[in-house]
PDB file of all heavy atoms in Angstrom:
ATOM      1  N   ASP N 382      26.360  56.356 107.026  1.00 96.00           N
ATOM      2  CA  ASP N 382      27.591  56.866 107.668  1.00 96.00           C
ATOM      3  C   ASP N 382      27.781  56.260 109.062  1.00 96.00           C
ATOM      4  O   ASP N 382      28.893  56.247 109.582  1.00 96.00           O
ATOM      5  CB  ASP N 382      27.521  58.402 107.798  1.00 96.00           C
ATOM      6  CG  ASP N 382      27.710  59.105 106.458  1.00 96.00           C
ATOM      7  OD1 ASP N 382      28.143  58.424 105.500  1.00 96.00           O
ATOM      8  OD2 ASP N 382      27.385  60.314 106.371  1.00 96.00           O
ATOM      9  N   ASN N 383      26.684  55.814 109.666  1.00 96.00           N
ATOM     10  CA  ASN N 383      26.744  55.235 111.020  1.00 96.00           C
ATOM     11  C   ASN N 383      25.990  53.907 111.049  1.00 96.00           C
ATOM     12  O   ASN N 383      24.999  53.769 111.772  1.00 96.00           O
ATOM     13  CB  ASN N 383      26.109  56.202 112.021  1.00 96.00           C
ATOM     14  CG  ASN N 383      26.666  57.598 111.934  1.00 96.00           C
ATOM     15  OD1 ASN N 383      27.719  57.896 112.483  1.00 96.00           O
ATOM     16  ND2 ASN N 383      25.974  58.452 111.167  1.00 96.00           N
ATOM     17  N   PRO N 384      26.438  52.932 110.217  1.00 98.00           N
ATOM     18  CA  PRO N 384      25.666  51.691 110.120  1.00 98.00           C
ATOM     19  C   PRO N 384      25.653  50.908 111.429  1.00 98.00           C
ATOM     20  O   PRO N 384      26.644  50.902 112.161  1.00 98.00           O
ATOM     21  CB  PRO N 384      26.384  50.917 109.020  1.00 98.00           C
ATOM     22  CG  PRO N 384      27.771  51.465 108.991  1.00 98.00           C
ATOM     23  CD  PRO N 384      27.662  52.903 109.407  1.00 98.00           C
ATOM     24  N   LEU N 385      24.537  50.257 111.730  1.00 98.00           N
ATOM     25  CA  LEU N 385      24.424  49.449 112.955  1.00 98.00           C
ATOM     26  C   LEU N 385      24.699  47.975 112.681  1.00 98.00           C
ATOM     27  O   LEU N 385      24.760  47.173 113.599  1.00 98.00           O
ATOM     28  CB  LEU N 385      23.032  49.646 113.562  1.00 98.00           C
ATOM     29  CG  LEU N 385      22.730  51.092 113.973  1.00 98.00           C
ATOM     30  CD1 LEU N 385      21.280  51.228 114.405  1.00 98.00           C
ATOM     31  CD2 LEU N 385      23.665  51.552 115.080  1.00 98.00           C
ATOM     32  N   LYS N 386      24.827  47.611 111.414  1.00 97.00           N
ATOM     33  CA  LYS N 386      25.259  46.279 110.989  1.00 97.00           C
ATOM     34  C   LYS N 386      26.404  46.510 109.994  1.00 97.00           C
ATOM     35  O   LYS N 386      26.390  47.520 109.284  1.00 97.00           O
ATOM     36  CB  LYS N 386      24.118  45.532 110.272  1.00 97.00           C
ATOM     37  CG  LYS N 386      22.835  45.422 111.063  1.00 97.00           C
ATOM     38  CD  LYS N 386      22.787  44.168 111.897  1.00 97.00           C
ATOM     39  CE  LYS N 386      21.471  44.064 112.649  1.00 97.00           C
ATOM     40  NZ  LYS N 386      21.499  43.073 113.737  1.00 97.00           N
ATOM     41  N   PRO N 387      27.364  45.592 109.917  1.00 97.00           N
ATOM     42  CA  PRO N 387      28.503  45.837 109.000  1.00 97.00           C
ATOM     43  C   PRO N 387      28.023  46.069 107.562  1.00 97.00           C
ATOM     44  O   PRO N 387      27.305  45.233 107.001  1.00 97.00           O
ATOM     45  CB  PRO N 387      29.339  44.564 109.113  1.00 97.00           C
ATOM     46  CG  PRO N 387      28.875  43.877 110.356  1.00 97.00           C
ATOM     47  CD  PRO N 387      27.451  44.284 110.583  1.00 97.00           C
ATOM     48  N   LEU N 388      28.412  47.218 106.976  1.00 97.00           N
ATOM     49  CA  LEU N 388      27.997  47.518 105.587  1.00 97.00           C
ATOM     50  C   LEU N 388      28.490  46.445 104.630  1.00 97.00           C
ATOM     51  O   LEU N 388      27.805  46.099 103.661  1.00 97.00           O
ATOM     52  CB  LEU N 388      28.569  48.879 105.166  1.00 97.00           C
ATOM     53  CG  LEU N 388      27.769  50.138 105.486  1.00 97.00           C
ATOM     54  CD1 LEU N 388      28.482  51.366 104.951  1.00 97.00           C
ATOM     55  CD2 LEU N 388      26.355  50.043 104.919  1.00 97.00           C
ATOM     56  N   GLU N 389      29.663  45.882 104.909  1.00 96.00           N
ATOM     57  CA  GLU N 389      30.220  44.910 103.960  1.00 96.00           C
ATOM     58  C   GLU N 389      29.379  43.641 103.884  1.00 96.00           C
ATOM     59  O   GLU N 389      29.501  42.860 102.938  1.00 96.00           O
ATOM     60  CB  GLU N 389      31.685  44.579 104.292  1.00 96.00           C
ATOM     61  CG  GLU N 389      31.909  43.929 105.641  1.00 96.00           C
ATOM     62  CD  GLU N 389      32.050  44.962 106.765  1.00 96.00           C
ATOM     63  OE1 GLU N 389      31.662  46.152 106.551  1.00 96.00           O
ATOM     64  OE2 GLU N 389      32.510  44.583 107.865  1.00 96.00           O
ATOM     65  N   ASN N 390      28.495  43.431 104.874  1.00 97.00           N
ATOM     66  CA  ASN N 390      27.633  42.235 104.809  1.00 97.00           C
ATOM     67  C   ASN N 390      26.291  42.513 104.125  1.00 97.00           C
ATOM     68  O   ASN N 390      25.465  41.620 104.004  1.00 97.00           O
ATOM     69  CB  ASN N 390      27.376  41.702 106.230  1.00 97.00           C
ATOM     70  CG  ASN N 390      28.645  41.147 106.850  1.00 97.00           C
ATOM     71  OD1 ASN N 390      29.619  40.890 106.141  1.00 97.00           O
ATOM     72  ND2 ASN N 390      28.637  41.001 108.167  1.00 97.00           N
ATOM     73  N   MET N 391      26.087  43.775 103.711  1.00 97.00           N
ATOM     74  CA  MET N 391      24.840  44.131 103.031  1.00 97.00           C
ATOM     75  C   MET N 391      24.989  43.765 101.556  1.00 97.00           C
ATOM     76  O   MET N 391      25.874  44.270 100.884  1.00 97.00           O
ATOM     77  CB  MET N 391      24.590  45.636 103.190  1.00 97.00           C
ATOM     78  CG  MET N 391      23.229  46.106 102.728  1.00 97.00           C
ATOM     79  SD  MET N 391      23.083  47.906 102.712  1.00 97.00           S
ATOM     80  CE  MET N 391      23.264  48.337 104.446  1.00 97.00           C
ATOM     81  N   THR N 392      24.155  42.845 101.068  1.00 97.00           N
ATOM     82  CA  THR N 392      24.371  42.358  99.689  1.00 97.00           C
ATOM     83  C   THR N 392      23.643  43.220  98.653  1.00 97.00           C
ATOM     84  O   THR N 392      24.067  43.287  97.503  1.00 97.00           O
ATOM     85  CB  THR N 392      23.867  40.898  99.539  1.00 97.00           C
ATOM     86  OG1 THR N 392      22.446  40.895  99.750  1.00 97.00           O
ATOM     87  CG2 THR N 392      24.564  39.972 100.509  1.00 97.00           C
ATOM     88  N   CYS N 393      22.556  43.879  99.054  1.00 97.00           N
ATOM     89  CA  CYS N 393      21.870  44.775  98.111  1.00 97.00           C
ATOM     90  C   CYS N 393      20.803  45.565  98.868  1.00 97.00           C
ATOM     91  O   CYS N 393      20.514  45.258 100.041  1.00 97.00           O
ATOM     92  CB  CYS N 393      21.225  43.993  96.977  1.00 97.00           C
ATOM     93  SG  CYS N 393      19.925  42.859  97.529  1.00 97.00           S
TER      94      CYS N 393
END
Side-chain angles (χ1 to χ4, degrees):
D382 287 347
N383 308 278
L385 299 173
K386 305 269 182 195
L388 273 182
E389 62 274 17
N390 292 344
M391 189 188 296
T392 64
C393 63

